[in-house]
Amino acid sequence: MTRRSAIEHDLRIPHNEEAEQTILGTLLINNAYWRQASGLRAEHFFDPANGKIFAAIKQMIEAGRLANPITLRDRFLADGDFEGVGGPAYLARLTAALGAPLTLTDYAHVVMDLHSRRDMMEIAEDLMRQAADTSDGGTGAQVAARTLARLVDVNTGASGDMMRDAGEVFDEVVAQMVGGGERKWRTGLWRLDKAMGGGLHAGRFYGIRARFKAGKTTLLSTISYNLLMADEPCPHLFISLEGMAGSIIQTMAARFAGVNAEDIRNGTLDPAATERVINARPYFQGRGLSFVRRPRMTLTDLKTILARYAMAKKGHGVMLDYLQLISGKPAKQSTAEFLDEVAQTLAEFCANHGMWCIAPAQENREGQLRGGDGMLNACDQAYALGRMECADNMPDQAWLEMIASRYNRGYHVGTEKDPQLLIHKDVGPYFTDKPDNYI
């Protein structure tokens, strides 16, 4: 929002000149406090002159040079913004604004928060303009979804299009390496974890293609259960587009109690089994698993739900069951183009917000994805799920063949000739790894 429009709406543009000056003064006195300003960028400063000084300090420190009022003086002599705040004398005055060194991080957070608030005011102004314009052919829901997505970017710090210095990115890579590598969550299926490079990685999109009734939902509920019951539960969102949220919980509760979900649905359990199911509730409450069930969900609905989940900062990942059930394809868009947009939406959500996503997709009779290969193009990893039915008293056998991987070498979780997964049908149902000595 511009100063003029703020005045027109009788609003004060949020900023804190003292906080900005304290940060600059602290850094000019002692460059060693630079690391306490982590995450702060020149564009976060309200005063253009302060932003330019911060950028110059950053550039000199990263080049291994001393940044102080003397070394910066010549750099700003001809700068109009700098002259407007008092010229070279302003640098000297900044050092007088030095705050207690241990509070520099707090000052940085204040400046970043105020920058976010200014962004919100600009978004609100754009929202009023777009809501008033009915000539663009769009809908109010589309305007709301775009606005919510922008607000999420502000709230979470996501900014996929922001240009960043390679050195800054390098520092993040080193910090991640020293801290134990990329964060990941184990699926509870050790062969799948190995194929994924240790588990579900933050920021990655996983696709699973399979024929009708191959076990897509069972695989998702298995992984969801394992994440929920881990020593350190992984909060996540389960979006169901065909079944009821209750049916997923029935399957999980059945596995926990050692019974079959069909008996829970039909109410045919004996008293002891019924008691075990009822006693399972504390293991599901408050562990971070959330459900959304919405048949005929549109892409706009999906974007809104993802934006809200990212803004709430309640979890680490999303499961979508399944890709082709997203509706709302525009008349002028082909099915392949529409599903490609859905897949790209999920991939961008993962990349922008550091969350993982698993989304199955259905194959046709020829073994190809219904609606094209958009998911394969968008995924960081893609698998083909196969299933071999066995006798009723035996688990079915299954496999996951890796068909695409962006980051690590291909690793199949079994093949049609050598399945490495079991689908237990008498309990649950649910997946497990196939024991090495299984006959």
Side-chain angles (χ1 to χ4, degrees), residues 152-274:
V152 170
D153 287 346
V154 169
N155 185 58
T156 61
S159 49
D161 59 348
M162 183 187 75
M163 290 185 292
R164 301 174 64 200
D165 181 77
E168 182 180 347
V169 178
F170 184 88
D171 288 343
E172 290 182 0
V173 170
V174 171
Q176 185 181 77
M177 176 186 69
V178 173
E182 293 182 347
R183 187 163 190 192
K184 40 196 172 286
W185 293 265
R186 298 191 180 279
T187 66
L189 300 169
W190 74 263
R191 291 185 178 93
L192 179 56
D193 288 335
K194 180 179 178 180
M196 290 177 166
L200 294 161
H201 287 244
R204 294 190 186 179
F205 175 30
Y206 301 90
I208 300 171
R209 76 183 200 188
R211 292 289 304 277
F212 179 66
K213 298 299 182 183
K216 298 185 295 295
T217 302
T218 301
L219 180 60
L220 287 190
S221 65
T222 296
I223 296 173
S224 180
Y225 177 94
N226 292 343
L227 292 169
L228 192 67
M229 297 299 169
D231 292 338
E232 183 182 350
C234 175
H236 58 281
L237 174 66
F238 198 118
I239 303 176
S240 176
L241 304 182
E242 56 175 356
M244 299 291 290
S247 66
I248 304 298
I249 288 294
Q250 284 171 350
T251 301
M252 293 182 179
R255 176 182 173 184
F256 184 93
V259 301
N260 189 278
E262 194 68 25
D263 291 324
I264 294 179
R265 281 189 282 273
N266 296 333
T268 54
L269 292 174
D270 61 50
T274 299

Side-chain angles (χ1 to χ4, degrees), residues 372-417:
D373 288 338
M375 184 186 76
L376 292 181
N377 296 329
C379 282
D380 295 298
Q381 277 193 343
Y383 298 86
L385 172 64
R387 180 173 187 165
M388 180 174 68
E389 294 187 358
C390 300
D392 288 343
N393 63 338
M394 298 288 291
D396 287 350
Q397 300 192 40
W399 60 94
L400 282 164
E401 292 190 41
M402 184 183 289
I403 53 180
S405 182
R406 201 184 305 275
Y407 295 105
N408 53 316
R409 290 173 290 182
Y411 179 87
H412 300 314
V413 186
T415 63
E416 185 174 5
K417 293 182 179 180

Side-chain angles (χ1 to χ4, degrees), residues 140-152:
Q142 290 172 330
V143 171
R146 288 196 300 267
T147 301
L148 185 57
R150 291 179 64 189
L151 285 170
V152 170

Side-chain angles (χ1 to χ4, degrees), residues 74 107 149 174 185 191-192 231-232 249 318 322 328 331 334 338 346 370:
D74 292 341
Y107 283 115
V174 171
W185 293 265
R191 291 185 178 93
L192 179 56
D231 292 338
E232 183 182 350
I249 288 294
V318 173
Y322 59 91
S334 70
F338 176 68
L346 294 172
R370 287 173 47 199

